[in-house]
Amino acid sequence: MFETLGRRTILSLAKSPGVGRLVRRFGPAFGATRFVAGETVAAAMQAVASANRDGILATLDHLGESVADRRAAEQAADSYLEILDAIAQTGVKSNASLKLTMMGLDIDRDLAVTNLRRVLDRARTHGNFVRIDMESSAYTDVTLDIYREVRAAGYDNVGVVIQAYLYRSEADLAALDQLAPNVRVVKGAYQEPAAVAYPVKADTDRSYRRLVQRQIGHGFYTAVATHDPALIQSTLGLHADGDRYEFQMLYGIRSGLQRELAQAGHRVRVYIPFGTEWYPYLMRRLAERPANLGFVVRNLMQR
Ligand code: FDA
């Protein structure tokens, strides 16, 4: 029954303060624990260690976005320093993913860049890598701009994300070619108008295939981030050098497929979100697959 609820409906409902209060109040019962590894760095590190035991790499995401005060943005950057230190100290195989609005982008672009550079510096000290997640289309220009800026400043331990649902993505990739960028290709998780994004899923899927083929064809390291078996198969069909790409999937989604690919010798990385600010993340996961709402309701009824 939940399949009939559209992605757009769920993403719109997610913006309602009333729905937000309700979902936050019932917290983990709403299924947050299926998609989020816990609230603390320690819990997240356990999830990383467990993935590593299955031969799967990780990328850690401290949940949080649209931070509205400078101190919170600085603390968010500090939390990434802690994560990178914890990865180095424990020797687990993980890098980090972050959102620029968590680094303060909505407050002041320079603040976000300063915070990002602190994180990249620490990652560099540990020989590690940081991926800048891509947020809604309101941030595409500024995110790519900041990516260029840090690359020009000499950071090569940083990657970015391109969303296949945006019409502009092929042109964005072409404009990055001279940097030989490390790009994570995703379908895109935000509510976007037809003026900027393909409204029909099949078009997004075709765009996804083209973008991956393009990046791998150019020999640029590519993170193929999808749970879509057809797109995973088409990537394998490119017979590319296995050192030039990796598959990425989200914590709690298609875990069996993650393990199968890793066992077959492919490089697989799981995106592990943790922290208390799980609400927008959870709502995006529900919107991707409205059937997940059934899972949420079952959780509530079992309480
Ligand atoms: P699709 O939605 O077609 O799903 C294919 C199949 O996967 C489904 O049939 C189902 O079986 C399974 N599946 C997918 N989503 C599911 C869910 N929520 N619950 C249960 N099963 C599900 N987006 C963005 O805009 N910016 C970003 O920075 C990122 N970063 C990112 C990192 C990584 C590692 C991944 C895997 C994804 C992202 N995304 C993202 C999210 C991405 O844009 C997209 O919304 C999701 O990956 C879902 O799309 P699929 O490619 O999986 O295909």
Side-chain angles (χ1 to χ4, degrees), residues 100-214:
L100 290 177
T101 64
M102 193 190 194
M103 298 292 116
L105 185 58
D106 285 336
I107 307 162
D108 171 10
R109 183 186 186 283
D110 288 348
L111 172 70
V113 173
T114 304
N115 282 332
L116 173 64
R117 290 182 63 140
R118 284 171 56 218
V119 176
L120 294 179
D121 281 332
R122 186 65 61 90
R124 186 148 70 182
T125 308
H126 294 309
N128 210 337
F129 175 90
V130 176
R131 169 96 47 197
I132 305 170
D133 286 343
M134 187 58 82
E135 301 178 65
S136 76
S137 62
Y139 297 100
T140 312
D141 277 329
V142 67
T143 302
L144 295 177
D145 223 52
I146 291 176
Y147 172 70
R148 279 195 195 86
E149 184 176 329
V150 290
R151 287 292 309 274
Y155 294 96
D156 54 10
N157 60 333
V158 58
V160 74
V161 176
I162 286 287
Q163 295 155 324
Y165 64 10
L166 296 184
Y167 306 133
R168 57 179 287 171
S169 287
E170 201 150 352
D172 283 336
L173 284 179
L176 292 175
D177 276 352
Q178 58 192 10
L179 297 175
N182 178 327
V183 170
R184 173 199 292 153
V185 183
V186 301
K187 288 191 186 177
Y190 296 80
Q191 185 181 10
E192 300 289 358
V196 300
Y198 294 109
V200 175
K201 190 176 175 307
D203 290 325
T204 299
D205 293 355
R206 269 191 288 277
S207 161
Y208 191 101
R209 193 170 281 125
R210 271 198 310 275
L211 299 177
V212 166
Q213 210 165 354
R214 179 187 193 287

Side-chain angles (χ1 to χ4, degrees), residues 18-295:
V19 173
R21 271 196 302 277
L22 190 73
V23 177
R24 283 192 176 93
R25 176 157 168 234
F26 287 103
F30 261 91
T33 51
R34 174 181 163 188
F35 300 108
V36 176
E39 296 203 339
T40 61
V41 175
M45 295 302 286
Q46 274 183 22
V48 174
S50 160
N52 287 177
R53 281 194 292 277
D54 287 332
I56 296 171
L57 309 166
T59 185
L60 276 171
D61 166 39
H62 186 197
L63 291 165
E65 50 201 83
S66 311
V67 160
D69 89 76
R70 299 185 77 89
R71 188 70 205 113
E74 279 154 11
Q75 282 169 349
D78 290 345
S79 76
Y80 272 92
L81 306 186
E82 190 192 338
I83 291 165
L84 290 163
D85 288 348
I87 292 170
Q89 278 154 17
T90 55
V92 292
K93 292 180 184 156
S94 181
N95 58 35
S97 294
L98 58 74
K99 290 185 174 51
L100 290 177
T101 64
M102 193 190 194
M103 298 292 116
L105 185 58
D106 285 336
I107 307 162
D108 171 10
R109 183 186 186 283
D110 288 348
L111 172 70
V113 173
T114 304
N115 282 332
L116 173 64
R117 290 182 63 140
R118 284 171 56 218
V119 176
L120 294 179
D121 281 332
R122 186 65 61 90
R124 186 148 70 182
T125 308
H126 294 309
N128 210 337
F129 175 90
V130 176
R131 169 96 47 197
I132 305 170
D133 286 343
M134 187 58 82
E135 301 178 65
S136 76
S137 62
Y139 297 100
T140 312
D141 277 329
V142 67
T143 302
L144 295 177
D145 223 52
I146 291 176
Y147 172 70
R148 279 195 195 86
E149 184 176 329
V150 290
R151 287 292 309 274
Y155 294 96
D156 54 10
N157 60 333
V158 58
V160 74
V161 176
I162 286 287
Q163 295 155 324
Y165 64 10
L166 296 184
Y167 306 133
R168 57 179 287 171
S169 287
E170 201 150 352
D172 283 336
L173 284 179
L176 292 175
D177 276 352
Q178 58 192 10
L179 297 175
N182 178 327
V183 170
R184 173 199 292 153
V185 183
V186 301
K187 288 191 186 177
Y190 296 80
Q191 185 181 10
E192 300 289 358
V196 300
Y198 294 109
V200 175
K201 190 176 175 307
D203 290 325
T204 299
D205 293 355
R206 269 191 288 277
S207 161
Y208 191 101
R209 193 170 281 125
R210 271 198 310 275
L211 299 177
V212 166
Q213 210 165 354
R214 179 187 193 287
Q215 292 308 97
I216 291 182
H218 279 66
F220 302 150
Y221 194 87
T222 304
V224 182
T226 181
H227 316 90
D228 186 331
L231 292 174
I232 291 169
Q233 272 312 317
S234 76
T235 304
L236 292 174
L238 297 173
H239 301 293
D241 176 353
D243 286 337
R244 301 307 304 152
Y245 69 92
E246 65 186 44
F247 292 113
Q248 295 190 349
M249 294 186 221
L250 301 175
Y251 179 80
I253 301 180
R254 297 236 160 168
S255 312
L257 180 59
Q258 296 178 22
R259 283 193 294 272
E260 267 169 45
L261 285 165
Q263 274 159 18
H266 301 291
R267 192 177 297 170
V268 180
R269 188 178 302 275
V270 60
Y271 183 105
I272 300 184
F274 74 98
T276 52
E277 296 301 311
W278 45 261
Y279 176 70
Y281 181 86
L282 174 65
M283 294 313 273
R284 287 196 291 275
R285 303 294 75 85
L286 295 181
E288 275 153 9
R289 193 160 178 267
N292 285 341
L293 279 172
F295 164 82

